[in-house]
Structures are given as structure tokens and as C-alpha cells.
Amino acid sequence: MFRLILRRLAVSVAVLWLVSLLVFVATLLLPGDPARAILGQQATPERIAALNEQLGLDAPVWQRYLDWLGGVLTGDLGTSAASQGPVTELLGGRIGASLVLLVGAAVISTAGGLALGTWSALRRGRAVDHTVSGISLVVAALPEFVIGVALIVVLSTTVLPVFPSVTLAPPGEPVWSQPIQLVLPILTLTLVVTPYITRMMRATMSEVLDSGYVEMARLKGLPERVVITRHAVPHAIGPVAQVIAIQLAWLAGGVVVVEFLFRYPGIGQALIDAVNNRDVAVVQAITLLIAGVYIVVNLIADIVGIMTNPKLRAEVSR
């Protein structure tokens, strides 16, 4: 198991390095001149040249990449061209605000998806099963911005004006100081992710319930609760862990659209602002951060999938 984790970790590091290279190249291809975007169209060539020198944009591309990569490895993400401050300070509070959304949506969607999928599988062919499957299929087909707009219409503006449609955190206060502002963004992310987990858990649980070892456990006279919790669910969690990982990794990127929709002050809104301002250092930092979250979540899912699957554990131990 330890050797397997080391191999997966080595592959993850290599993938993250490739992502850093792609991110750096992609930011070079962004249209426009960062210095001119900061100083404005009326800036003189002398001022633009001075700012390019200050930001290190006049150095060769390979040197800029190595300097940036070395800074990332030492925790220095560079200087924001727009604010002229360290990127780490700019993103510090925003990362915390986005984590609130991600953790809240991840916990609710994972628990809800597993519970709904199990409940639906235990009632296969009944009205409850058809209702859960139909609703999850419809919701899974909707993009996140459609779900967000629908929630704003229903719960914020027209039908039931209960929750605020935008995030208005007072200056100097964390966004979670007013929890009511978090309801719609977290609910949007939850509704986007939960249907996939529910459908996968329902399919896997149905297969497990028809397996021989579950039938044997029932023939031994074990209570149905013990059969479900100790024999069926652990075997179903392994395959579902991969789907959960993909969905939770999607949250790291999907939060960009949701934060823009609700004007939420997280990394998603910061990424959009940085692209508009041609703030290359911020774009690179946020994109690399999202890629890192995606890789780490998938690595954890691989480990969980192996630990919860007896067949995979046996293969690893050989």
C-alpha cells in the first residue's frame, strides 16, 4: 500500500508539473499587453517599458518560467500586477471564503448522494426509486448557472424572497459572518454534484445487493441493518469513491461560475477579475491551485477506493 501511494504521488507530482507548464504557456497567449492593461491606453512607451522591467516581463520566457516555478516551490506566488501586492496576501482571504463553499457543498452532496442512492436501491422498482431517478436525471442535465438562476428566481426575487441573491459582506468581516449569504451558493453547488453521486450509488448498491455474499449474510440470519451497513455499503463505496472524487474535483473549477453568479468574494471571482485585468501572476496562481486540488482529491479517491474494496486490497498485497 505504501509503495502504491508513493507511485501515485510521483505521478501526481509529474502531472502537476505539466499543468504548471501549460498554465504558464496559456497565460502567455492571453491577448493584450499586461503593462498597457495596467497603465491604460494613454501610457507612454517609456512607462510601459519601465513596468515590464519591474514585473520581469522583459526577461526570456524560459527564465520567467523558472523564476515563477522556483517561487511556487518556495511559497512565493509572485506580485499582483493590478494591486502591486503579494499574490499570497491577495488570495489568502479568498481561498478561505471558497473553502467554505467547497467544504459545505462537498459534505452535503456526498452524504446526501450516498443516502439517496442507497435508499433508492433498497426500493428498486417502486415509486420512490422512479421519483429519485427521474429528478436526479433532470437536475444532472442542467448547467450550474441555470440551477443558480432558478434558485435566485425562486428563493430570492420572485416566488419566495428569503435569501439574498448576491453576497454583500461588510468590509473587514469574513463572508461566513452572515451564514444566510452562503445558502444559495452552497445549494447550487450541492444540486449540481448530488445527482451524479446518487445515480452511481444506486447502480452500485443494486449490484451489490444482488451479490452472493449479501445473500449469504441474509441466509445466516443477520439483521437487515447489519447486512446493509457492514456488507453492502462498504463494497459499494469503492467504485462510488471515484465518482465522488471527480465531482468534488469539479467543485474546485465549477466554483468560478457560481461565485461570479452570486458575486461571491472567492478565488473564482478573483480569477475573473485577474483575466479582465491581465493580472498574469494571479491567473497562474489560481489555475495551479485548482489543478492541485483536482490532483490531490483524485489521489485520495484512489487510496479510499483500494482500502474499501477487498479485491483491490488483495491485488495490492500480492
Side-chain angles (χ1 to χ4, degrees), residues 192-266:
V192 173
V193 173
T194 302
Y196 297 95
I197 301 176
T198 300
R199 293 178 63 81
M200 185 61 185
M201 186 62 183
R202 191 261 182 203
T204 307
M205 192 68 176
S206 298
E207 182 180 350
V208 170
L209 290 174
D210 293 334
S211 62
Y213 50 83
V214 171
E215 183 179 357
M216 182 61 67
R218 286 170 173 164
L219 291 176
K220 289 181 178 179
L222 295 177
E224 186 67 12
R225 179 179 58 82
V226 176
V227 173
I228 298 302
T229 57
R230 296 189 59 181
H231 296 275
V233 172
H235 287 81
I237 288 293
V240 178
Q242 299 294 331
V243 176
I244 294 175
I246 294 174
Q247 297 306 312
L248 296 186
W250 173 90
L251 286 176
V255 74
V256 175
V257 176
V258 175
E259 289 185 358
F260 177 75
L261 180 62
F262 293 99
R263 296 298 185 267
Y264 188 84

Side-chain angles (χ1 to χ4, degrees), residues 27 80 116 118 130 153 155 172 222 227 245 254 300 315-316:
T27 53
S80 170
L116 283 174
T118 303
H130 296 312
V153 172
L155 298 177
L222 295 177
V227 173
I300 295 175
E315 291 178 2
V316 171

Side-chain angles (χ1 to χ4, degrees), residues 2-64:
F2 182 70
R3 290 196 300 270
L4 176 64
I5 294 175
L6 287 180
R7 288 198 299 268
R8 296 293 175 91
L9 187 60
V11 172
S12 299
V13 171
V15 171
L16 192 59
W17 172 75
L18 289 175
V19 169
S20 73
L21 186 61
L22 291 175
V23 168
F24 185 82
V25 173
T27 53
L28 294 178
L29 299 177
L30 287 175
D33 183 4
R36 185 172 294 278
I38 296 171
L39 297 176
Q41 297 298 324
Q42 305 301 323
T44 62
E46 292 77 12
R47 293 184 60 193
I48 293 177
L51 184 58
N52 282 330
E53 182 179 0
Q54 178 183 350
L55 299 177
L57 299 178
D58 57 343
V61 173
W62 62 269
Q63 182 178 344
R64 289 163 56 186

Side-chain angles (χ1 to χ4, degrees), residues 238-309:
V240 178
Q242 299 294 331
V243 176
I244 294 175
I246 294 174
Q247 297 306 312
L248 296 186
W250 173 90
L251 286 176
V255 74
V256 175
V257 176
V258 175
E259 289 185 358
F260 177 75
L261 180 62
F262 293 99
R263 296 298 185 267
Y264 188 84
I267 59 172
Q269 186 64 46
L271 178 61
I272 294 174
D273 294 340
V275 172
N276 292 333
N277 296 329
R278 287 286 281 120
D279 200 341
V280 176
V282 176
V283 174
Q284 291 172 338
I286 296 177
T287 309
L288 192 63
L289 176 63
I290 293 175
V293 172
Y294 190 94
I295 292 172
V296 170
V297 170
N298 278 279
L299 177 63
I300 295 175
D302 289 340
I303 297 173
V304 172
I306 293 173
M307 294 180 65
T308 56
N309 193 318

Side-chain angles (χ1 to χ4, degrees), residues 53-194:
E53 182 179 0
Q54 178 183 350
L55 299 177
L57 299 178
D58 57 343
V61 173
W62 62 269
Q63 182 178 344
R64 289 163 56 186
Y65 172 72
L66 292 179
D67 292 341
W68 173 69
L69 185 61
V72 170
L73 295 176
T74 57
D76 181 11
L77 299 178
T79 302
S80 170
S83 66
Q84 294 298 306
V87 175
T88 51
E89 294 182 4
L90 176 66
L91 298 181
R94 291 180 176 266
I95 291 176
S98 293
L99 279 177
V100 173
L101 292 187
L102 296 179
V103 173
V107 172
I108 297 173
S109 60
T110 301
L114 294 178
L116 283 174
T118 303
W119 188 42
S120 182
L122 293 174
R123 289 158 177 79
R124 283 177 292 175
R126 302 181 186 178
V128 171
D129 180 29
H130 296 312
T131 301
V132 172
S133 298
I135 294 176
S136 62
L137 181 62
V138 172
V139 176
L142 299 176
E144 60 270 21
F145 67 88
V146 173
I147 296 176
V149 171
L151 290 177
I152 291 175
V153 172
V154 174
L155 298 177
S156 181
T157 57
T158 305
V159 183
L160 296 173
V162 179
F163 304 105
S165 59
V166 295
T167 305
L168 299 174
E173 291 188 16
V175 67
W176 54 85
S177 62
Q178 299 184 23
I180 194 173
Q181 300 183 118
L182 306 176
V183 174
L184 291 185
I186 291 179
L187 185 57
T188 301
L189 293 172
T190 300
L191 290 177
V192 173
V193 173
T194 302

